[in-house]
Amino acid sequence: MNTTPSSAPPFTARERALVLHGGGSAGNAWEIGVVAGLLAGGLDVTEADLIVGTSAGSTAAAQITSAPPAELLAAILSATPRQPAGPAGPGGGRGPVGPTANYMEITSRIIAAAADAADMRRKMGAAALKTDAAADGSWPARWRATVAARLPSQRWPQRPVRITAVNAETGEPVVFDCHSGVDLADAVAASTSNGFGVPPYGIGGSWYIDGGYRRNENADLATGYERVLVLSPFSGRSRHPRAWGMDLATQVGELRAGGSRVETIFPDGASLTAFGTDMMDLSTRPPAARAGYEQGRGLAGDLIKFWC
């Protein structure tokens, strides 16, 4: 199975790249709203020559490349979600098994004990594989069904899309694309498995956890593109030591040093209010999408000059 972007044939165009970061249910809805708002303002970023998706952003990447953003937005706004039992899952729904209340505590402890980013990935994967939830043999099929139900199409889009994950057993970063021999739903399921609330996800005998453990936004995967637009529901923040280079500012610096022009979109005040205190809460999706739409529509005029 091929999981590195270097294995793919060179793209015919390397002008514009769109990067979508994670952010749970609220972050996914906000990204859909922003993209729909930009389109309403005259800017179609779904026509990017490359789209990079991480965690909830991988769901958004698969969604906006297979359905009109306006339809995706309308579906969020018209939904009347309930909060069923079970943990929250990134990308617009609930996860099948596993506690989430101590997720931040567990992962913060692992980060603090790690020597560097590679060590953190190995430790994160090892801890995720030891959870009780990871031993539930029925959950991978249920998680795949949950993820697949969110995707308008089960086929990889025609335009290049890269979806990030980390091998839970080795700690090695992985990038899935249409040349990897992995189904789109499986790639998204892997990228949205944070390892604890949503346990590691198995593909072909290997287990994977959230692509955000590779790097937060993974904007570096757009290296070589002339213009890069990054949507970050967490406003580029990182819980990792700055020296590890996981943060968005470091990635943007690298891109600009390589000749790329980079713009970022962070949630504005209205969007942050819509997120509330729990970005996994399904009830945040309609207000987050609505706030994202208004923000995107307001930004479109200025970003047209950058994108086009």
Side-chain angles (χ1 to χ4, degrees):
M1 180 176 62
N2 216 341
T3 55
T4 58
S6 61
S7 65
F11 300 139
T12 56
R14 298 178 65 89
E15 295 182 2
R16 300 168 297 179
L18 174 66
V19 178
L20 302 172
H21 184 30
S25 296
N28 169 268
W30 175 77
E31 290 178 331
I32 296 297
V34 170
V35 171
L38 290 171
L39 182 58
L43 176 59
D44 185 2
V45 295
T46 69
E47 294 183 343
D49 301 304
L50 170 68
I51 298 180
V52 177
T54 295
S55 196
S58 72
T59 308
Q63 290 168 328
I64 66 171
T65 51
S66 54
E71 289 185 9
L72 297 170
L73 175 64
I76 295 172
L77 297 180
S78 64
T80 54
R82 295 179 296 171
Q83 290 285 15
R94 307 292 290 184
V97 292
T100 58
N102 59 348
Y103 165 75
M104 291 294 289
E105 178 185 344
I106 293 171
T107 54
S108 293
R109 197 161 54 236
I110 293 170
I111 291 168
D116 52 29
D119 187 41
M120 180 272 296
R121 295 185 197 105
R122 289 190 294 269
K123 283 182 166 62
M124 204 71 74
L129 289 168
K130 290 180 181 177
T131 61
D132 291 339
D136 182 349
S138 67
W139 78 261
R142 288 189 286 141
W143 183 236
R144 190 187 194 284
T146 297
V147 169
R150 301 173 187 164
L151 308 183
S153 172
Q154 302 299 305
R155 299 172 63 89
W156 282 91
Q158 292 186 339
R159 66 182 60 255
V161 171
R162 293 175 177 171
I163 293 177
T164 63
V166 168
N167 186 304
E169 297 158 306
T170 67
E172 290 298 314
V174 174
V175 181
F176 297 112
D177 61 19
C178 64
H179 304 282
S180 299
V182 170
D183 288 346
L184 177 61
D186 287 319
V188 174
S191 190
T192 52
S193 295
N194 63 31
F196 301 93
V198 181
Y201 184 77
I203 304 175
S206 296
W207 295 90
Y208 299 94
I209 54 176
D210 199 303
Y213 297 127
R214 178 190 177 275
R215 266 183 124 172
N216 290 354
E217 286 78 9
N218 292 297
D220 59 295
L221 293 178
T223 296
Y225 284 77
E226 295 179 14
R227 286 157 286 178
V228 182
L229 177 63
V230 184
L231 273 61
S232 177
F234 290 128
S235 303
R237 298 189 303 273
S238 175
R239 297 163 58 207
H240 307 94
R242 183 66 182 269
W244 293 4
M246 299 279 283
D247 60 290
L248 180 58
T250 297
Q251 296 170 56
V252 169
E254 292 169 356
L255 288 168
R256 288 176 174 161
S260 298
R261 296 169 57 200
V262 185
E263 292 288 346
T264 58
I265 300 179
F266 298 157
D268 59 11
S271 297
L272 291 173
T273 299
F275 291 173
T277 59
D278 181 4
M279 294 180 70
M280 295 295 188
D281 185 344
L282 288 178
S283 68
T284 64
R285 286 181 60 73
R290 192 176 296 110
Y293 175 82
E294 295 299 333
Q295 185 178 356
R297 191 170 63 171
L299 291 171
D302 290 336
L303 285 175
I304 285 174
K305 303 171 186 176
F306 160 74
W307 193 254
C308 302

